[in-house]
Amino acid sequence: MAFDKDSIIASLKEASISDLNDLVKAIEEEFDVSASAPVAVAGAAGADAGAAKDSYDVELTESGDQKVKAIKAVRDITGLGLKDAKGLVDNVPSLVKEGVSEDEANDIKAKLEEVGGVVTLK
């Protein structure tokens, strides 16, 4: 069987995201490889984390028992509509806000923890 990369590329262009995701998983299992970033790249990012951070990502890791209040808090914080805010709260862990100052991140964290949410600052 000859390797025809052009036909493979044409097939990939027609595939859905779900199909491509399944393909990546199958390749990882078949050849015992990983599609994740190399360790050297991840290590370089970790070195930068030791320096003073000027922006934070706020991640909701648990929504808590008061989901309705958590959804309202997420809506107030992000300005999202009801459906999008509910999606963030229902599909934890999820990023609520990215690239915010330390003060704003702590303020958001306090608001979400007030309604029973568990928040991680990254």
Side-chain angles (χ1 to χ4, degrees), residues 72-112:
K72 287 181 181 179
V74 168
R75 286 187 71 196
D76 290 342
I77 293 165
T78 62
L80 293 173
L82 179 61
K83 182 179 179 182
D84 293 330
K86 183 179 183 311
L88 281 176
V89 172
D90 286 343
N91 298 312
V92 290
S94 56
L95 285 176
V96 176
K97 221 161 186 190
E98 296 179 276
V100 296
S101 67
E102 182 178 4
D103 292 337
E104 186 178 358
N106 287 326
D107 185 46
I108 293 169
K109 181 178 180 181
K111 287 179 183 178
L112 291 170

Side-chain angles (χ1 to χ4, degrees), residues 20-120:
L20 293 174
N21 186 38
D22 291 343
L23 174 64
V24 169
K25 288 179 183 177
I27 291 172
E28 287 176 335
E29 289 175 12
E30 179 68 27
F31 298 105
D32 195 28
V33 295
S34 175
S36 62
V39 176
V41 173
D48 294 340
K53 289 185 73 164
D54 58 349
S55 68
Y56 292 84
D57 295 340
V58 181
E59 180 180 63
L60 182 64
T61 54
E62 292 180 34
S63 57
D65 295 334
Q66 304 175 33
K67 276 192 171 183
V68 173
K69 289 183 179 181
I71 292 168
K72 287 181 181 179
V74 168
R75 286 187 71 196
D76 290 342
I77 293 165
T78 62
L80 293 173
L82 179 61
K83 182 179 179 182
D84 293 330
K86 183 179 183 311
L88 281 176
V89 172
D90 286 343
N91 298 312
V92 290
S94 56
L95 285 176
V96 176
K97 221 161 186 190
E98 296 179 276
V100 296
S101 67
E102 182 178 4
D103 292 337
E104 186 178 358
N106 287 326
D107 185 46
I108 293 169
K109 181 178 180 181
K111 287 179 183 178
L112 291 170
E113 287 178 342
E114 186 178 302
V115 295
V118 177
V119 178
T120 304

